[in-house]
Amino acid sequence: MSTILVAGSMNIDIVTKVNRHPLPGETIHGMETSLFPGGKGANQAVAAARLGASVCMVGAVGNDLFGNEIKRILSDDGIDLTHVKEKNSTTGMALITIDQTGENNIILSQGANGLITKEDISRVSYDRFDAILLQNEIPWEANAFVLEKAQHHQVKTVFNPAPALAISKDYLSLIDILILNEHEATEMTQYKCDTKEDIVRSVQFLIDCGVKEVIITLGKKGSFYMNNKQKVYSTAALQVPVVDTTAAGDTFIGAFIAKYMSGHSVEKSLDYASVAAAISVTIEGAQNSIPNVDKVNNFMQ
Ligand code: ADP
Ligand code: NA
């Protein structure tokens, strides 16, 4: 079993179905409202935990109604929350309205996620993990601190630059495995990812910056892997009935890391991630659509 530290965001998603989105200044009636746990950090932690890893989460929630609820949900998946801080603020929150055509309006409030400091994460025993997984939904200073700690303790780093932002080459060279979707790849490298040649050029750019292994996920076109020794591997996405692709990427990342860090080959780990992500798109929602080991194994038989 691999032991993974996830340093990242924890959100509550408040989703209301509406006939149509309100105009500025207008009050409308929503049809039904649901609360869901979310945040890329929490989603990827849940995916890794359900798919076989021992997971510890570093992050922050607010001292509002939602903080304890999120912690309760994550602890149900066996995630170690010792290093989740409670901030004197609101919990990270996404206010989402979905109209009858399925179009979303989303307001993201960083809340406690934006208040994570170096001090909050300085007491973690970084050397006890096989890998550290990061995204881009907490302050960059916190990520940079974790990357430096990982380098100091020679722990593998896995970075999902979502949302994409330009990071300095100094930090890219501290990243062992970069996992990003085609849009994030284009933002980071300025290369389009429309053709195989485009994708290879984009990945080569990232490898030239010092990243050791790069995976670009391509939605229903699958994924592409290349490392700094020019080894290449592609997966095709499974043909499944698509219900909701939310958290497909998070599922893919958590599944891949859980497998790869426990010693499986890159090919086996990517194939496994591709099955787990395909299952997640057949089910509505984010965290609740992430399968566990039994579900993936049944699907693979
Ligand atoms: P993100 O959610 O970050 O945008 P992608 O859309 O690239 O990520 O999806 C991640 C992975 O999920 C893909 O590489 C693929 O394996 C799987 N996946 C995504 N969409 C589908 C789909 N429609 N059918 C089957 N698998 C899918
Ligand atoms: Na889903």
Side-chain angles (χ1 to χ4, degrees):
M1 187 192 256
S2 53
T3 306
I4 311 289
L5 179 74
V6 181
S9 58
M10 305 166 74
N11 285 345
I12 188 87
D13 294 349
I14 305 178
V15 183
T16 301
K17 294 201 170 140
V18 294
N19 283 318
R20 59 169 180 80
H21 298 293
L23 299 169
E26 186 187 24
T27 298
I28 62 167
H29 287 281
M31 294 189 292
E32 77 185 78
T33 296
S34 316
L35 302 183
F36 300 106
K40 284 185 190 293
N43 288 349
Q44 293 175 20
V46 166
R50 285 189 195 158
L51 294 162
S54 164
V55 178
C56 175
M57 175 119 205
V58 166
V61 294
N63 56 354
D64 56 10
L65 296 171
F66 302 120
N68 282 331
E69 181 63 7
I70 292 182
K71 290 207 296 198
R72 187 188 63 74
I73 291 166
L74 295 183
S75 62
D76 281 351
D77 274 305
I79 297 169
D80 175 359
L81 303 172
T82 314
H83 294 290
V84 171
K85 302 284 172 196
E86 190 176 289
K87 296 284 177 182
N88 187 17
S89 80
T90 51
T91 296
M93 203 174 294
L95 296 174
I96 304 169
T97 51
I98 306 176
D99 74 11
Q100 284 188 320
T101 71
E103 190 174 54
N104 293 342
N105 274 1
I106 303 177
I107 303 173
L108 255 182
S109 308
Q110 257 200 321
N113 296 313
L115 301 175
I116 299 171
T117 62
K118 283 185 196 176
E119 290 67 43
D120 291 331
I121 54 185
S122 60
R123 280 192 196 85
V124 179
S125 312
Y126 288 92
D127 55 352
R128 79 177 174 89
F129 297 99
D130 298 315
I132 302 178
L133 174 56
L134 302 158
Q135 312 77 27
N136 242 341
E137 293 185 335
I138 62 173
W140 175 250
E141 295 71 34
N143 272 350
F145 179 82
V146 173
L147 287 173
E148 282 158 11
K149 283 281 183 192
Q151 186 192 39
H152 180 76
H153 293 287
Q154 297 189 310
V155 181
K156 274 219 153 109
T157 55
V158 186
F159 182 48
N160 169 227
L165 96 182
I167 67 171
S168 97
K169 279 200 178 183
D170 297 348
Y171 284 107
L172 278 176
S173 66
L174 297 183
I175 293 163
D176 292 299
I177 307 175
L178 189 68
I179 310 180
L180 65 181
N181 68 24
E182 47 201 319
H183 312 292
E184 290 145 6
T186 300
E187 291 249 350
M188 278 186 86
T189 66
Q190 307 299 316
Y191 292 125
K192 288 205 179 84
C193 288
D194 295 338
T195 65
K196 183 81 188 272
E197 289 72 43
D198 290 339
I199 293 165
V200 171
R201 197 164 44 169
S202 187
V203 170
Q204 188 62 55
F205 175 93
L206 295 164
I207 285 173
D208 290 343
C209 292
V211 180
K212 295 179 189 67
E213 303 178 82
V214 178
I215 300 163
I216 301 195
T217 63
L218 303 162
K220 59 178 185 306
K221 297 192 298 284
S223 74
F224 178 79
Y225 167 94
M226 193 164 99
N227 71 10
N228 60 359
K229 299 186 181 81
Q230 304 298 117
K231 178 188 170 117
V232 166
Y233 186 71
S234 300
T235 61
L238 278 72
Q239 297 267 352
V240 289
V242 179
V243 175
D244 179 359
T245 60
T246 316
D250 294 335
T251 305
F252 189 98
I253 292 166
F256 174 76
I257 291 310
K259 272 279 158 194
Y260 196 39
M261 292 304 143
S262 63
H264 289 84
S265 68
V266 75
E267 292 88 348
K268 249 199 147 139
S269 307
L270 288 168
D271 289 345
Y272 189 81
S274 163
V275 173
I279 294 170
S280 80
V281 309
T282 65
I283 300 164
E284 192 169 339
Q287 273 179 29
N288 70 299
S289 72
I290 299 172
N292 61 14
V293 170
D294 290 343
K295 217 166 171 183
V296 176
N297 289 345
N298 283 340
F299 198 94
M300 287 175 104
Q301 271 163 16

